[in-house]
Structures are given as structure tokens and as C-alpha cells.
Amino acid sequence: MTYVLIPGAGGSADYWHLLVDELRRRGRDVVAVDLPAADDTAALPEYADTVRAAIGQRRDVTLVAQSLGAFTAALVADDPRVTMLVLVNPMIPAPGETPGQWWEATGHAQARAAHAAAQGRPPSDHVDLAVDFFHDVPEAVVARITADAPDESAAVFTRPNPLRRWPDVPTRVVTGRDDRFFPAEFQRRLARERLGVDVDVLPGGHLVALSQPQRLADQLDAYRAPTTTAT
């Protein structure tokens, strides 16, 4: 069994470096994928092709996708080499929906503003990386991740999404309890409406692979643990 890790916005495999170290320490086979986010002509089909190439000859693959990576994962998960899909603080896509359409279609802005107000923070349309993303990530890790943060290809948000139906593969959703950008209740609603599943909540914010890599590894391994039937 192999974990193939798909990053979110920016497309950098380095986002997963702490989780990769933790999974390899446990003896797991793991591949973190670099997406062609620096190429403004690259969109979801090119991202999906990149992930398929990274899978190579492997079998029994668990795709793990962060945030925007859910759009790419949904296009790859119908590959017969994939046996499970795990979405982490995801942008869960509807068939045919582009990432650019997702924000309004899901009511994200309203959910984020309501969550900020409930926490006593002023609602804002502005994204503050320190407040919204890195509030629970160790400073040394923040410095590494932000030292060379790539931009995201604009084509990803505007070119058509070829997804026609959700892939027929077991799908799990991991939600950061302290996510300020995609609040936990917002994620729970979206998972129920679009996938018919509940979420598994872990401590941590939007970048839970950076703030809680051991807990995330525990959750991934729990999903793949063999089940036993009492006799």
C-alpha cells in the first residue's frame, strides 16, 4: 500500500514534508507530488496527469489531498490503482464545478465571516496568512514553507473541470477542528451535502499536516488498518 499526497494551492510537495517523514518512520511507502502550479497554462487535467505519472506502477494507492488538491484527487481516484481517497480540509468539488466557482457555490465567505465573528475576530475578505493558515504551525516550519511559496496557476480556477461524477472509491474527510479558513462546521455541511459522509475531526488548523503530522499519520493508518470480524 502506498500513500500518494496531493498538495493544495501552490502545488508544492514540500507542504507534506513532516507527514512524509512520519509515515516513512512507520515503514510506509509514500510519494508527495509536485504539481505544475508555476505553469499558467496548466489546469486540472494536467494536474491529474502529473499525479497519475507519480503513481507509476504502484497498486493499492491511498490518495491524500489537501484543500484545493481535492479537485485533482477526484479526477484521479477512478484509476484502478487507487483504493481509497482521503480529503484533508478539502474544497470538495461538485461535478463540472471549477475551483473559481466553488467559493460562491458553497457559501464559503459567509461561513468564514460567521466563524471569525464567533471567535471575536473581525470578519474580513482579506486573507492573512498568519491568522488564517499559520496560526498553529511552528515558526521554523512557517519559515521553511514561506521561503519560496509558489503562485497557483490561474487556469486551474477558470478552465472547465472534467469531473462528471464522484469516483466510486471509499472517501474519507479529515477536518481540522481549529481551521479558520474552512471552519469545521462548514466542512461538515459540505461533506454531508456533496459526499454523504461525516468528517473525522483532528486538532489543528487548515495546514494540519504541518501542525499535527503525527495525528494525521495516525488517522491515515487507522483508515487503512485491516478490519476484523468477531466470531
Side-chain angles (χ1 to χ4, degrees):
M1 189 272 291
T2 299
Y3 291 112
V4 173
L5 311 180
I6 304 173
S12 174
D14 197 46
Y15 166 71
W16 297 109
H17 72 280
L18 295 176
L19 182 64
V20 168
D21 290 347
E22 179 62 27
L23 290 172
R24 287 179 176 163
R25 185 184 65 79
R26 302 176 185 208
R28 313 294 184 248
D29 183 33
V30 56
V31 177
V33 183
D34 269 315
L35 298 176
D39 180 357
D40 266 342
T41 67
L44 294 174
E46 288 76 23
Y47 281 24
D49 287 345
T50 300
V51 175
R52 292 189 190 100
I55 292 174
Q57 300 303 310
R58 296 174 176 85
R59 294 290 184 268
D60 192 13
V61 168
T62 296
L63 287 182
V64 183
Q66 162 72 17
S67 194
L68 176 62
F71 275 83
T72 300
L75 296 176
V76 180
D78 62 354
D79 189 298
R81 296 170 292 181
V82 176
T83 54
M84 181 173 287
L85 175 56
V86 181
L87 308 177
V88 184
N89 291 326
M91 294 174 66
I92 301 172
E97 181 180 71
T98 68
Q101 295 166 335
W102 181 90
W103 308 93
E104 184 174 355
T106 60
H108 169 262
Q110 297 89 333
R112 180 178 167 228
H115 182 67
Q119 290 193 324
R121 294 182 288 111
S124 173
D125 293 334
H126 173 69
V127 176
D128 185 320
L129 294 180
V131 172
D132 294 313
F133 292 100
F134 292 111
H135 58 94
D136 65 334
V137 178
E139 290 185 8
V141 178
V142 175
R144 169 172 173 165
I145 295 297
T146 58
D148 187 25
D151 293 328
E152 182 61 58
S153 168
V156 167
F157 294 94
T158 57
R159 275 180 51 188
N161 179 3
L163 181 69
R164 293 295 170 258
R165 67 178 185 87
W166 196 260
D168 186 20
V169 63
T171 302
R172 308 287 185 263
V173 178
V174 177
T175 293
R177 181 191 63 202
D178 310 305
D179 194 334
R180 295 175 177 177
F181 195 57
F182 295 168
E185 285 306 312
F186 168 75
Q187 292 190 52
R188 180 174 282 112
R189 171 177 64 79
L190 206 60
R192 288 173 176 169
E193 291 176 354
R194 297 194 165 189
L195 300 179
V197 303
D198 205 351
V199 301
D200 291 300
V201 180
L202 296 182
H206 192 67
L207 307 180
V208 68
L210 297 176
S211 62
Q212 299 286 344
Q214 291 182 340
R215 287 180 180 268
L216 182 54
D218 288 344
Q219 186 66 68
L220 295 177
D221 278 352
Y223 289 146
R224 295 311 311 239
T227 58
T228 57
T229 302
T231 58

